[in-house]
DNA sequence: AGGCTAACTTGACTAAAATCAAGGTTACAC
DNA sequence: GTGTAACCTTGATTTTAGTCAAGTTAGCCT
């Protein structure tokens, strides 16, 4: 059951049986509703987390309450693992943004496995390096893409996981949240999405977006990006 | 000589003697002048690099030449190492921006040492995690700090490496480059720096900045940050 | 179905940063 | 020193995004 789930996590592909046993021994699966805070940045904890289903927002806040979204993760991703390197202190807060099933896992076996299994350590490093590249791109996009282009790019990344031809995308969470994920205000998002419709012929109805093909969108958004479409660094999971 | 230098790199503190021997065997030290391109993103290479002195810009460009600065590194930092995880492809371009001494190192021993020395693998992971946090903060700052606050924050990070009291900061490279590092135009930088003078009483003369104490600057910049001053994640080297 | 709330959109306005176009200033080569 | 080029600043203007306020829509509860 739980152990099986863990064995199928890509990041753990080279891990030994005892690792899974230890991990499963301290594992708990929970279902959470939207709004649930799992931990706050600065909290100390002995667990890391695996998203079995749903969506989780990682964020930080200033004293006056302004929020910066670090990332939003779904099925297949782990988070809270970097606390290993910071004396168990989480570097961000985590909030459930769509009803989710989260597996809570003890951090000690993870640390052990890194120490004892060099293949796994290498996988972890690879995963970190990949994430690092994603963040580089994020920073890049904030400086060279405008609001509409950023939305277009966001849509294209959702689309990748599906097939080509007549394309349909369903926003996985609130538009307000997409806006904050992209570092803009909800009003700006609303207007920029409308502009994107005019420029690229995508059709928006509620949280569903359709288009005949994605070429126009690619031309519009990827023009202001240093990578070529399709972006290679897309991961449906923490691999 | 060279081997000694390598032994003193913090990241390599747990590495064995044979690692240093292999590394040194393939190592070459070079002096480069401003403007020298070390490699371009997409290039394939078998080396990574250590900054012995000077400053190196890592960046990416779109087809139309728009440039996004990934980071700017100085003494003590390594770069190009993440190519290990991408079949030897560098994910960014590297350019010397101030006359520098760079040690070119073979990537094979690095890969081996990760595989054979779990302590080192853990150090690498810690270094990656740290960098990741820095990037999180970078993204955060781009969305919640204005141009002047970003400059203030940049200055405070330079200052950390020195002492307190009457404070003097020397910009380590061109203002234009600082601007691009902070994701703004040179004109915006120039105006924002002037605004910062008015708001915080710092004094700017050429590339030298002085202030009686840094409290006003901290109040001004760190108000729009989720971390508290002094930021804990400052590293003078890749540790 | 009605009513409530939160999500979303729209409009008018403001603020911030980019762009365009001149000028200065500085550093360095000869 | 003189000249030149790159760096930097300043002003005027435009573009972009943020803010504030007022709707509208959509989902959900009873």
């Amino acid at each position: 059951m739980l152990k099986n789930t863990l064995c199928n996590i890509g990041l753990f592909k080279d891990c030994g049986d005892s690792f899974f046993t230890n991990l499963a021994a301290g594992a708990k699966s929970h279902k959470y509703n939207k709004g649930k805070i799992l931990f706050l940045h600065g909290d100390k904890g002995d667990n890391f987390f695996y998203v079995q289903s749903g969506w989780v927002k990682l964020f930080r806040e200033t004293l006056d309450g302004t929020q910066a979204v670090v990332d939003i993760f779904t099925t297949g991703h782990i988070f809270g693992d970097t606390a290993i390197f910071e004396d168990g202190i989480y570097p961000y807060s985590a909030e459930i943004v769509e009803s989710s099933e989260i597996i809570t896992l003890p951090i000690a076996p993870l640390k052990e496995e890194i120490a004892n299994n060099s293949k796994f350590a290498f996988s972890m490093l690879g995963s970190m390096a990949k994430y690092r590249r994603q963040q580089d791109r994020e920073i890049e996009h904030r400086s060279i893409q405008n609001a509409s282009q950023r939305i277009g790019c966001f849509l294209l990344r959702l689309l990748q996981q599906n097939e080509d031809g007549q394309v349909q995308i369903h926003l996985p969470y609130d538009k307000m949240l997409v806006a904050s994920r992209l570092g803009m205000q909800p009003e700006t998002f609303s207007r920029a999405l409308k502009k994107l419709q005019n420029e690229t012929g995508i059709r928006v109805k509620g949280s569903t977006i359709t288009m005949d093909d994605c070429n126009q969108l690619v031309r519009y958004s990827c023009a202001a990006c240093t990578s070529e479409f399709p972006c290679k660094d897309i991961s449906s999971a923490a691999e």
Side-chain angles (χ1 to χ4, degrees), chain A:
Chain A
M1 11 66 65
L2 235 176
K3 193 170 165 184
N4 267 331
T5 306
L6 299 176
C7 292
N8 288 324
I9 297 176
L11 182 63
F12 297 155
K13 64 179 185 305
D14 295 316
C15 291
D17 193 62
S18 70
F19 168 66
F20 289 113
T21 305
N22 292 336
L23 205 59
K28 277 178 214 150
S29 182
H30 279 290
K31 289 183 181 174
Y32 297 108
N33 290 324
K34 198 169 166 170
K36 168 75 182 178
I37 302 282
L38 295 178
F39 53 80
L40 295 174
H41 67 94
D43 281 3
K44 207 169 155 67
D46 304 320
N47 297 304
F48 71 106
F49 304 85
Y50 175 76
V51 186
Q52 176 76 3
S53 69
W55 290 87
V56 182
K57 172 178 76 173
L58 308 183
F59 67 101
R60 291 175 58 96
E61 284 180 320
T62 61
L63 288 175
D64 74 358
T66 310
Q67 199 174 91
V69 173
V70 174
D71 215 330
I72 297 176
F73 284 154
T74 186
T75 310
H77 283 263
I78 62 171
F79 61 94
D81 52 319
T82 53
I84 298 181
F85 309 103
E86 318 244 11
D87 305 317
I89 303 291
Y90 296 118
Y92 37 65
S93 310
E95 179 187 337
I96 303 297
V97 289
E98 292 296 326
S99 298
S100 301
E101 193 177 347
I102 305 291
I103 302 179
T104 303
L105 298 160
I107 227 165
L110 188 72
K111 208 164 175 175
E112 263 175 50
E113 189 70 4
I114 292 171
N116 299 327
N117 179 348
S118 62
K119 277 192 177 177
F120 174 60
F122 198 80
S123 295
M124 277 286 283
L125 276 165
S127 161
M128 287 265 205
K130 191 169 195 171
Y131 190 76
R132 189 166 153 170
R133 264 265 58 230
Q134 264 180 250
Q135 282 186 304
D136 284 344
R137 198 200 47 240
E138 192 66 36
I139 293 172
E140 168 197 319
H141 284 187
R142 302 262 172 133
S143 53
I144 65 187
Q145 288 188 324
N146 65 30
S148 298
Q149 287 169 326
R150 282 217 296 291
I151 296 173
C153 181
F154 178 83
L155 294 178
L156 287 170
R157 315 193 131 253
L158 287 174
L159 171 153
Q160 304 253 287
Q161 291 146 2
N162 311 340
E163 70 295 339
D164 261 48
Q166 158 85 17
V167 185
Q168 177 160 348
I169 298 166
H170 193 81
L171 295 178
Y173 41 78
D174 289 350
K175 287 182 180 175
M176 288 187 71
L177 197 57
V178 178
S180 66
R181 164 70 181 71
L182 298 175
M184 62 185 80
Q185 299 302 313
E187 296 95 325
T188 302
F189 178 85
S190 189
R191 282 185 262 262
L193 184 58
K194 182 157 281 185
K195 185 180 167 201
L196 195 64
Q197 280 186 73
N198 296 333
E199 306 270 349
T200 68
I202 64 170
R203 295 175 291 276
V204 180
K205 192 182 174 196
S207 58
T208 303
I209 289 143
T210 52
M211 63 196 86
D212 297 328
D213 70 279
C214 64
N215 294 331
Q216 240 185 310
L217 198 55
V218 169
R219 263 197 304 281
Y220 184 79
S221 286
C222 302
C225 181
T226 65
S227 306
E228 270 168 44
F229 185 84
C231 330
K232 293 195 190 103
D233 58 337
I234 290 185
S235 59
S236 59
E239 275 163 12

